[in-house]
Amino acid sequence: VSFPWQKREISNFDYLMYLNTLAGRSYNDYMQYPVFPWVLADYHSETLNLTNPHTFRDLSKPMGAQTVERKRKFIQRYNEVEKSEDPSAQCHYCTHYSSAIIVASYLVRMEPFTQTFCSLQGGSFDVADRMFHSVQSTWESASRDNMSDVRELIPEFFYLPEFLTNANHFELGCMQDGTVLGDVQLPPWADGDPHKFILLHRQALESDYVSAHLHRWIDLIFGHKQHGSAAVEAVNTYHPYFYGDKMDLNNVKDPLIKSTILGFISNFGQIPKQV
């Protein structure tokens, strides 16, 4: 059977939104917000070459396995769970690729997300150096540099230039190197223009390369590589608490443990329902 998406009768964007909806993700819930992939790995070139495979992120691997060294460290973490600990807590990642704070941090320059972000942070903006301020540095953090950062993207990266500008002139603070936070720093190929960034980023999502490889990312996030032996093999296992539908909270009798699990899920995110 050939599906409309395989025949390219619907866009990659629409197909991803469809899968997110099927998996219970919604704009109405920051904890289960639609999740979209990083599709590019080139945030430094003057021009974006969508015919070069090296321009793109490896969609067959989760964000924790984008470099050989990073993948090795996460596999090592998985193997190092002490025998004395609960073996069911064995996982590659203790953080998630989508959570309320990730969503609010991306959209922090727009209301009502500004207020949401501040309330999640205890009433104020985060330390400036930890705020979302540059597409390239966020990619480098999530794909290479930061072992507690495996975040993916949200749909707005492919259609909403407004979230990249500080039109409300919020005082977001000053980084240690003296940079005052304002608009999000864009890759050179966007020429400082949020509209151009969104246009090219959307073209990248709909490119031949992504169309040919997107099903591999879908397997990781929505499909059979979500959990079990296929997830272990793909270096794609998360803390057990993230698998909300796999945990029967009705069987958790201890109220403290139950509230801990619920707090964990609300703060750190949830794996989508398998589709």
Side-chain angles (χ1 to χ4, degrees), residues 60-65 71 74-75 78-79 88 90-93 97 216-240 242-243 246 271-272 274:
S60 70
K61 296 187 175 76
M63 289 305 289
K71 181 179 176 181
F74 280 121
I75 291 172
Y78 181 89
N79 292 333
S88 68
Q90 198 173 30
C91 64
H92 295 107
Y93 314 116
Y97 49 77
R216 297 183 149 191
W217 182 83
I218 290 167
D219 286 343
L220 294 169
I221 307 297
F222 300 107
H224 72 287
K225 292 184 179 176
Q226 256 193 5
H227 52 80
S229 57
V232 176
E233 207 173 305
V235 194
N236 192 42
T237 66
Y238 296 82
H239 193 285
F242 294 143
Y243 298 87
K246 296 278 175 289
I271 303 284
Q274 192 171 350

Side-chain angles (χ1 to χ4, degrees), residues 2 12 45 59 61 97 100 117 136 152 164 171 180 193 203 219 221 225 262 267-268 270:
S2 184
N12 291 337
S45 298
L59 286 157
K61 296 187 175 76
Y97 49 77
F117 182 83
Q136 179 175 348
E152 293 279 8
L164 297 164
E171 291 186 12
V180 176
D193 180 352
Q203 285 176 1
D219 286 343
I221 307 297
K225 292 184 179 176
L262 288 169
N267 284 318
F268 297 110
Q270 212 170 339

Side-chain angles (χ1 to χ4, degrees), residues 37-85:
W38 288 95
V39 292
L40 294 173
D42 180 354
Y43 298 95
H44 53 269
S45 298
E46 293 296 326
T47 54
L48 194 60
N49 181 358
L50 296 180
T51 61
N52 181 354
H54 295 296
T55 298
F56 297 92
R57 166 256 179 105
D58 186 342
L59 286 157
S60 70
K61 296 187 175 76
M63 289 305 289
Q66 289 295 309
T67 71
V68 175
E69 176 62 11
R70 185 168 161 93
K71 181 179 176 181
R72 185 188 64 74
K73 284 182 183 166
F74 280 121
I75 291 172
Q76 189 179 347
R77 173 193 282 175
Y78 181 89
N79 292 333
E80 277 175 0
V81 173
E82 296 296 324
K83 299 289 177 280
S84 59
E85 283 184 41

